[in-house]
């Protein structure tokens, strides 16, 4: 198979050389803690509180607020109604590269209907402001006496802290930034950087064993009883009990996903199928998850009997009826499993739920999100295109979100984050989004996806800094589009090489996945539920990590049918098999003496290996070793990235893309759905033929000894007897030598017709002639 041509340069990864301090030996304390990003200087103003402010209006009270002004940039705190000793506790950040003024002015003003009155101000010379470098302690705020515009002392004092710092400062995430001056007070919370933690997820196993003394309404029929369990938005049911009595048995497991803190209990109901689509509730029980036993291994937990309650209508009122019906359950929270909440091929965490089972970390992952450039306009504002970009990164349970850079196609974040690494065979995902909620955003506004990058840690060399510009690619119904590039710096630091290498001998998932495995259908359903729980919880944070962002990062729709993905996976399989095909072609050339010298050398090597069989395995492993050493020269020098050729995204047919982006169930017209259905039938017919041919070959092997064709079986059994006698009296090396020399014989001694064994095999019967 021919190697596909490389993807276009526009979609390729580019190595960059940003001005970062990684590996530099400097006296700056930041060089070892914040060295994967370019340092950005900021002037910080922390407005804490004021006291003894005079009243300015008729009533003698004041509605104070603070205005921080530096040249053309102005930041404003919220105002308080009728308060002379207000507390703001707000931080303002001004980018040094945009500072043009030499004076910083902090005004305290009284909010008024017409014109706000000046209460007083504090003035600072920008050149005299002290510099603070973490990990120095935060600068202590001080009281400053207010002055009027003429420099005379005014009544009231203001507590402030003013300093020069960088983005490494702990005040940076919560600061109001001057580059977001157009954002109103209501939108400021939506543009801040934040660190989120995914909720701790558990599998809940409900083993429904049996029920006793049920009381069906119709005692003249055999009850068809099943158990229905509801936990939050998840609802499962057992099969109908095979023992159709008032003491049914199931012994069936139901699996749920739940997140801490446990907000909702488990609802169980025993129901009787009394007719088509008609069920009668025989009893209910409610079990709070806080009292459920937690299990760390495969040892069974204690089972318990739970009383069932039933509500009946008496004189139009709902009354609780208690009776002796009960249900036997074994319920536990599974701590030995890893709850899969992301696509398996790009998992970022493989640890079990229970922290007691975690192994120590093997290293640290550091990510510097530097900048983006060439971003496309994602929305329209005031008649022109604009983009308010921010980044989200997810690894393990920790999500990070950078601040939003407002109205900028070349945003510079320069934010650095760190994760503990417990397994090198994991993936970090970085997504870039457009913030659709800065200016309030309509009810249906969403954060648009700009692109995504995945980096597998096992492809990174330890302690090396990778600085690359990654293309941001998004697949639309109109085709693949490049929406810009994001510049990242990545470093994976390994604590001990021995521990990391030892990880490669461990199972990928916790041992409970192998001792007590879950079915593929169960895992898919549980993964979907886990993704929904994570997206709901993170969307309730402040600022919210919205549902569409979380779903895009977790690849929620990766399991949906796609003709493009099917083609890509087919060619991936062919790419794997192509190596075997190449070996087969090479061996055919040897057998046909295309290069006599090579064929003679192979003859000599073959004879040596037959005469000295103890050299076979050492020769094989030495050959693999030499191939690996030879390929080291062409090893990848950069992390993998999104490949449009591999994904068949650059050559996908428009109708295939339209089908991929169709909703489920479909929303397309019936004639398009009919055409796609016929296409699927055609593809399915070809797959069906291939599977049928594979089944035919397998059935021919079975028929060798099945006497379905008595003459063929007689011939094969006779051949086996003769072969057994000949191989018993003939040394194995002689047999191997004869077979090898026969296979490598010169073309002069070959025939173009198929060999006798192949003719015999093709004549064997299969069950295809019994198919309807």
């Amino acid at each position: 198979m021919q190697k596909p041509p490389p993807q276009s340069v526009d979609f390729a990864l580019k190595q960059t050389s940003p001005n970062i301090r990684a590996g530099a030996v400097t006296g700056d304390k930041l060089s070892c803690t914040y060295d994967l990003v370019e340092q950005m200087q900021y002037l910080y103003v922390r407005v804490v509180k004021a006291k003894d402010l005079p009243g300015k209006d008729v009533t003698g009270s004041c509605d104070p607020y603070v205005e921080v002004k530096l040249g053309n940039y102005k930041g404003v705190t919220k105002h308080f109604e009728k308060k002379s000793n207000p507390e703001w506790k707000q931080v303002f950040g001004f980018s040094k590269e945009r500072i043009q003024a030499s004076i910083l002015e902090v005004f305290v003003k009284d909010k008024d209907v017409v014109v706000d009155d000046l209460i007083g101000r504090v003035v600072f010379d920008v050149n005299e402001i002290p510099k603070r470098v973490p990990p120095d302690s935060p600068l202590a705020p001080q009281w400053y006496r207010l002055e009027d515009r003429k420099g005379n002392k005014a009544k009231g004092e203001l507590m402030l802290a003013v300093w020069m710092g960088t983005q490494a400062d702990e005040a940076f995430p919560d600061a109001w930034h001057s580059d977001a001056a157009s954002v109103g007070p209501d939108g400021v919370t939506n543009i801040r950087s934040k660190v989120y933690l995914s909720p701790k997820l558990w599998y809940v196993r409900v083993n429904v064993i049996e029920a006793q003394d049920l009381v069906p309404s119709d005692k003249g029929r055999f009850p068809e009883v099943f158990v229905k369990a509801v936990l939050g938005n998840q609802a499962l049911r057992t099969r109908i009990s095979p023992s159709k009595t008032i003491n049914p048995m199931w012994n069936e497991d139901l699996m749920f996903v739940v997140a801490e803190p446990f907000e909702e209990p488990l609802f169980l109901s025993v129901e009787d199928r009394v007719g088509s689509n008609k069920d009668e509730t025989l009893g209910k029980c409610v079990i709070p998850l806080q009292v459920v036993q937690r299990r760390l291994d495969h040892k069974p937990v204690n089972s318990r009997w739970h009383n069932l309650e039933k509500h009946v209508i008496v004189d139009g009122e709902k009354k609780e009826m208690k009776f002796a019906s009960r249900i036997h359950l074994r319920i536990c929270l599974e701590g030995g499993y890893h709850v899969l909440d992301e696509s398996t091929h790009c998992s970022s965490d493989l640890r079990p739920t229970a922290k007691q089972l975690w192994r120590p970390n093997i290293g640290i992952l550091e990510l510097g999100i530097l900048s983006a450039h060439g971003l496309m306009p994602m929305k329209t504002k005031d008649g022109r295109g604009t983009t308010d970009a921010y980044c989200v990164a997810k690894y393990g349970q920790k999500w990070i979100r950078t601040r939003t850079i407002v109205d900028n196609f070349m945003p510079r974040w320069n934010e650095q984050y760190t994760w503990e690494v417990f397994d090198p065979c994991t993936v970090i995902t970085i997504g870039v989004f457009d913030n659709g909620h800065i200016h309030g955003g309509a009810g249906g506004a969403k954060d648009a996806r700009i692109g995504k990058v995945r980096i597998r840690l096992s492809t990174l060399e330890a302690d090396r800094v990778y600085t690359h510009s990654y293309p941001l690619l998004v697949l639309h119904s109109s085709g693949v589009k490049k929406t810009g590039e994001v510049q990242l710096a990545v470093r994976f630091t390994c604590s001990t090489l021995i521990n990391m290498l030892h990880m490669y001998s461990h199972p990928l998932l916790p041992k409970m996945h192998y001792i007590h495995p879950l079915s593929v259908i169960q895992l898919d359903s549980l993964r979907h539920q886990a993704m929904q729980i994570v997206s709901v919880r993170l969307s309730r944070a402040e600022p919210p990590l919205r549902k569409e962002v979380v779903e895009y990062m977790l690849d929620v729709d990766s399991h949906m049918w796609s003709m493009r993905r099917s083609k890509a996976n087919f060619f991936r399989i062919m790419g794997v098999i192509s190596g075997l095909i190449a070996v087969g072609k090479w061996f055919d050339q040897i057998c046909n003496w295309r290069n006599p010298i090579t064929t003679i050398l192979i003859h000599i090597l073959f004879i040596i290996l037959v005469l000295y069989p103890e050299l076979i395995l050492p020769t094989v492993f030495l050959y693999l070793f030499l191939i690996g050493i030879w390929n080291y020269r062409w090893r990848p020098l950069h992390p993998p990235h999104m490949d449009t050729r591999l994904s068949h995204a650059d050559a996908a047919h428009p109708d295939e893309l339209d089908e991929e982006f169709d909703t489920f169930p479909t929303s397309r017209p019936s004639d398009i759905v009919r055409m796609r259905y016929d296409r699927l039938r055609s593809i399915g017919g070809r797959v069906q033929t291939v599977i049928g041919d594979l089944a035919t070959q397998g059935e021919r092997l079975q028929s060798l000894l099945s006497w379905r064709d008595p003459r063929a079986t007689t011939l094969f059994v006779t051949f086996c007897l003769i072969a057994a006698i000949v191989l018993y009296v003939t040394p194995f090396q002689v047999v191997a030598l004869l077979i090898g020399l026969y296979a490598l014989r010169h073309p002069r001694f070959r025939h173009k017709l198929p060999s006798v064994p192949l003719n015999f095999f093709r004549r064997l019967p299969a069950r295809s002639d019994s198919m309807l």
Side-chain angles (χ1 to χ4, degrees), residues 617-628:
L617 287 178
T619 302
V620 170
F621 285 110
L622 179 63
Y623 181 64
L624 294 176
F625 168 78
L626 292 175
I627 290 176

Side-chain angles (χ1 to χ4, degrees), residues 381-429:
K381 181 188 174 188
D382 300 330
R384 64 180 182 85
T386 180
T387 297
D388 307 316
Y390 68 93
C391 284
V392 175
K394 196 262 184 195
Y395 184 77
Q397 295 179 343
K398 179 179 173 181
W399 299 66
I400 65 94
R401 169 183 175 146
T402 67
R403 72 192 190 283
T404 300
I405 306 296
V406 179
D407 193 13
N408 197 329
F409 298 129
M410 300 182 68
R412 295 176 62 218
W413 294 286
N414 284 305
E415 298 182 27
Q416 183 170 336
Y417 298 93
T418 304
W419 288 265
E420 284 186 306
V421 177
F422 293 86
D423 194 311
C425 302
T426 46
V427 176
I428 181 172
T429 304

Side-chain angles (χ1 to χ4, degrees), residues 525-560:
S525 174
L526 292 169
R527 183 187 295 113
H528 176 73
Q529 295 297 337
M531 287 177 173
Q532 295 302 317
I533 291 172
V534 171
S535 65
V536 169
R537 286 288 180 91
L538 293 179
S539 66
R540 285 159 48 185
E542 187 64 38
L545 203 56
R546 303 193 180 272
K547 189 171 185 285
E548 62 271 16
V549 173
V550 176
E551 290 183 348
Y552 180 56
M553 296 288 289
L554 294 179
D555 274 340
V556 167
D557 56 353
S558 62
H559 67 287
M560 298 296 288

Side-chain angles (χ1 to χ4, degrees), residues 746-758:
H746 195 273
R748 186 178 298 174
F749 303 106
R750 294 179 183 274
H751 299 285
K752 292 186 177 180
L753 297 177
S755 64
V756 172
L758 189 58

Side-chain angles (χ1 to χ4, degrees), residues 54-171:
K56 286 288 183 179
D57 54 19
V58 181
T59 60
S61 61
C62 67
D63 306 327
Y65 69 92
V66 173
E67 179 182 290
V68 182
K69 188 177 180 183
L70 183 63
N72 296 325
Y73 294 104
K74 182 170 65 175
V76 180
T77 67
K78 62 183 178 181
H79 79 278
F80 289 96
E81 297 282 347
K82 299 179 180 179
K83 198 168 185 179
S84 59
N85 298 304
E87 284 193 23
W88 291 282
K89 293 182 179 177
Q90 191 168 341
V91 180
F92 297 86
F94 297 88
S95 177
K96 187 178 179 181
E97 64 183 20
R98 297 190 180 186
I99 295 177
Q100 295 178 344
S102 59
I103 297 296
L104 169 69
E105 297 176 287
V106 183
F107 299 97
V108 181
K109 293 186 176 182
D110 176 35
K111 189 81 172 173
D112 210 340
V113 178
V114 183
V115 179
D116 297 345
D117 298 320
L118 176 67
I119 298 175
R121 68 172 186 166
V122 180
V123 181
F124 296 89
D125 185 345
V126 172
N127 296 319
E128 298 297 326
I129 293 175
K131 185 178 180 181
R132 183 215 163 203
V133 180
D136 288 354
S137 299
L139 200 65
Q142 300 179 38
W143 285 106
Y144 291 89
R145 170 72 67 177
L146 297 179
E147 301 175 351
D148 59 18
R149 290 192 182 275
K150 296 180 180 179
N152 299 321
K153 290 186 178 180
K155 189 177 180 184
E157 292 182 84
L158 181 63
M159 181 179 274
L160 293 172
V162 182
W163 72 96
M164 282 288 187
T166 67
Q167 73 270 38
D169 204 294
E170 64 270 6

